Amino acid sequence: MRILIATVGGKPQPIRQSIIQNRPDKIWFICSDDAESTRGSYTQIEEIIKGLPHPLPTYEVVKLKELDNVCVCHETSSELINRVRKDYPAAEITADFSGGTKPMTAGLAIAATGHSDIRLSFVSGTRADLRQVVPGTESVRLLLPTSILLERYRELAGAAFKRFDYASAVDICRMALAIPGIDSRGSANFQYWLTLALAYRAWDDFDHTGAWRLLSLLKRYEPKQCAFLEAVIWSRRVLAPDYGKDLNGITARNKGHGYELVEDLIMNAKRSAEATRFDDSAARLYRATELLLQLRLKLAHGIENGNVDTGLLPADLQSRYEQMRNYRGYIELALMKSLQLLVDLSEAKINEPLGPLLKNRRNEIRNFIEKRNVSILAHGVSPIRQTDFQKMEAEVCGLVDTAFKTMKLKSCISPVQLPSSLPQPPPSGA
């Protein structure tokens, strides 16, 4: 079924020509309705119909009260298009904006460009001047608003990247790629952005192997992101040696310092805060602090804080920590107890430079934990406010920075935040 939606102006010929060439089975005329005079364009419908060959298509009329209000015209056109699409889901729809006031034609054209499968139609011909087409030379011009839609989707994808909403960016890119008639360049650009959005969505969800499988395909265009992601994967292997063992493209030897997973968590917390998810952000900062201590125990002393081997502790500490075994026979240390173990190791004359730092910052860390504990995502029922998060962020970032300096960490890999703008696609043919 073919459907035509057309704005009607003061002359019947353009719309009549559109009907003849588009050959609709049904028409919706959008007309002006001036109840106080005969100037309403709905009076032209009879003249339009008179000049058509038989059989005549069925038609309906939609009247506009505010023909010079582009917002009203757009709203009316959008409602009509949505109704027609719902009632005739398999129909081929054409929107013709040849007639009517400028707000009427603009309203219909803007509404139609929001749908990739609606054709735009207008009647043109030879012009003797800038005002009027020579009668008899009229013809219908048809187009799909592909370039307009692609630009709109590009802007929407850019806005999604700006707020680190990679899940929405994935959906937007897929909608763009489904536009009929998309050209090869547009297809290549949105496919590139789709791959990046999928990779960054996985990265944001801590699926670092999934992110690597996608991002490594674009390594030549995103070298800094790939370098940091690889270091994060190596950092995860400190705690899970088999993590990502089946990945291709990972170097044989880690180039990082081993604490990149802490940096990655802090970056993640900041992205979450940009989306005003402050409770999530606080939970990530808490875990980043705990992970700093967990990795230090493992890297420097070989100690697993999820099940401490007391044989790795100095003799005068072993009995104290043996008393911490739980019903499963494990010695499990949460954040503050991991902190205490590092302090104890330092005071036992073990080479542990973080001991004095952590001892001096113990109260600050405890205050941070108490703030986090009131969160509804921890043990309380109160939301974390933006000001609370900002204080937590300053405390945690300050602790991590000082700890890194104290440990004299060296790395050729710089931490990189995920992009907050739509990356420039590769040049054509690259």
Side-chain angles (χ1 to χ4, degrees):
M1 183 176 187
R2 292 188 296 271
I3 290 174
L4 178 68
I5 299 173
T7 50
V8 179
K11 295 184 178 181
Q13 181 56 29
I15 304 304
R16 186 185 300 133
Q17 187 67 37
S18 177
I19 294 170
I20 292 171
Q21 289 192 233
N22 283 309
R23 294 180 298 168
D25 300 299
K26 186 166 185 177
I27 307 169
W28 270 267
F29 293 113
I30 300 177
C31 308
S32 59
D33 180 18
D34 192 335
E36 297 180 358
S37 71
T38 58
R39 292 188 296 110
S41 63
Y42 70 91
T43 60
Q44 293 294 323
I45 294 176
E46 185 176 343
E47 292 299 317
I48 293 170
I49 298 301
K50 280 181 181 178
L52 293 176
H54 291 275
L56 295 174
T58 59
Y59 67 89
E60 295 185 26
V61 177
V62 176
K63 294 182 180 180
L64 287 166
K65 289 292 185 182
E66 298 183 57
L67 64 156
D68 289 320
N69 187 325
V70 70
C71 294
V72 171
C73 296
H74 173 263
E75 182 180 0
T76 301
S77 298
S78 293
E79 290 175 353
L80 175 58
I81 288 172
N82 291 333
R83 177 160 57 89
V84 171
R85 284 170 63 92
K86 180 180 178 181
D87 293 343
Y88 303 92
E92 177 187 281
I93 302 174
T94 300
D96 190 292
F97 55 96
S98 302
T101 65
K102 289 180 174 64
M104 289 170 63
T105 60
L108 177 59
I110 294 170
T113 56
H115 304 270
S116 61
D117 56 345
I118 293 182
R119 299 187 306 174
L120 291 175
S121 170
F122 67 98
V123 175
S124 186
T126 303
R127 294 180 182 273
D129 51 42
L130 297 178
R131 298 178 55 194
Q132 195 169 356
V133 171
V134 176
T137 68
E138 301 93 338
S139 64
V140 172
R141 314 290 173 86
L142 293 173
L143 60 99
L144 281 170
T146 303
S147 61
I148 299 172
L149 283 170
L150 287 178
E151 178 60 22
R152 182 177 295 176
Y153 282 130
R154 188 194 65 78
E155 292 174 353
L156 290 172
F161 266 71
K162 185 175 182 179
R163 60 180 184 270
F164 300 111
D165 185 2
Y166 300 116
S168 292
V170 167
D171 292 338
I172 292 164
C173 290
R174 283 179 169 157
M175 287 190 289
L177 288 165
I179 295 174
I182 184 172
D183 61 17
S184 58
R185 185 58 187 159
S187 179
N189 288 350
F190 276 96
Q191 186 61 53
Y192 180 74
W193 293 325
L194 173 61
T195 303
L196 285 180
L198 287 166
Y200 294 140
R201 182 180 67 178
W203 194 337
D204 213 33
D205 291 338
F206 307 106
D207 179 10
H208 295 116
T209 57
W212 176 263
R213 289 188 178 97
L214 292 166
L215 198 59
S216 61
L217 300 173
L218 308 174
K219 192 171 185 178
R220 61 184 293 197
Y221 308 116
E222 307 294 333
K224 292 181 179 179
Q225 300 284 358
C226 284
F228 181 55
L229 177 56
E230 182 179 359
V232 171
I233 291 170
W234 272 104
S235 182
R236 285 188 69 155
R237 288 181 181 175
V238 173
L239 304 175
D242 291 333
Y243 184 78
K245 284 293 188 182
D246 60 338
L247 293 179
N248 294 321
I250 298 288
T251 55
R253 190 163 174 265
N254 183 20
K255 298 177 182 178
H257 49 50
Y259 295 86
E260 286 79 13
L261 192 53
V262 176
E263 296 172 313
D264 186 55
L265 261 171
I266 292 174
M267 297 284 194
N268 194 297
K270 291 180 178 181
R271 294 194 296 275
S272 186
E274 284 292 324
T276 68
R277 297 192 300 267
F278 299 116
D279 289 272
D280 287 339
S281 304
R284 285 158 170 75
L285 290 179
Y286 177 90
R287 178 58 182 139
T289 306
E290 184 181 52
L291 189 58
L292 171 68
L293 310 182
Q294 184 180 4
L295 285 168
R296 180 61 188 174
L297 287 170
K298 178 65 175 179
L299 285 167
H301 308 286
I303 296 173
E304 303 272 1
N305 73 341
N307 186 15
V308 176
D309 179 357
T310 55
L312 298 174
L313 304 181
D316 58 345
L317 294 178
Q318 291 180 8
S319 60
R320 187 199 310 176
Y321 281 87
E322 278 292 341
Q323 296 174 19
M324 297 182 185
R325 289 197 182 275
N326 59 24
Y327 70 97
R328 296 189 300 163
Y330 292 173
I331 301 173
E332 296 176 315
L333 306 182
L335 193 156
M336 289 307 295
K337 289 185 177 179
S338 293
L339 181 152
Q340 184 60 51
L341 177 52
L342 287 166
V343 172
D344 288 343
L345 290 172
S346 175
E347 294 179 345
K349 309 303 181 185
I350 301 297
N351 182 22
E352 180 42 69
L354 285 191
L357 169 66
L358 295 172
K359 186 175 182 178
N360 291 334
R361 298 250 185 152
R362 189 198 308 266
N363 289 337
E364 292 179 20
I365 296 171
R366 185 177 284 115
N367 289 338
F368 156 64
I369 293 173
E370 288 175 356
K371 290 178 187 176
R372 170 260 180 185
N373 284 345
V374 302
S375 168
I376 197 167
L377 296 185
H379 311 296
V381 293
S382 301
I384 299 292
R385 304 297 182 187
Q386 183 176 10
T387 53
D388 297 327
F389 168 77
Q390 289 170 340
K391 291 178 182 178
M392 294 178 187
E393 180 186 20
E395 291 169 359
V396 172
C397 290
L399 172 66
V400 171
D401 288 344
T402 305
F404 283 9
K405 292 175 182 176
T406 301
M407 293 186 288
K408 299 179 180 179
L409 296 183
K410 294 181 181 180
S411 176
C412 61
I413 306 298
S414 298
V416 181
Q417 182 57 283
L418 300 191
S420 59
S421 60
L422 206 59
Q424 186 68 27
S428 180

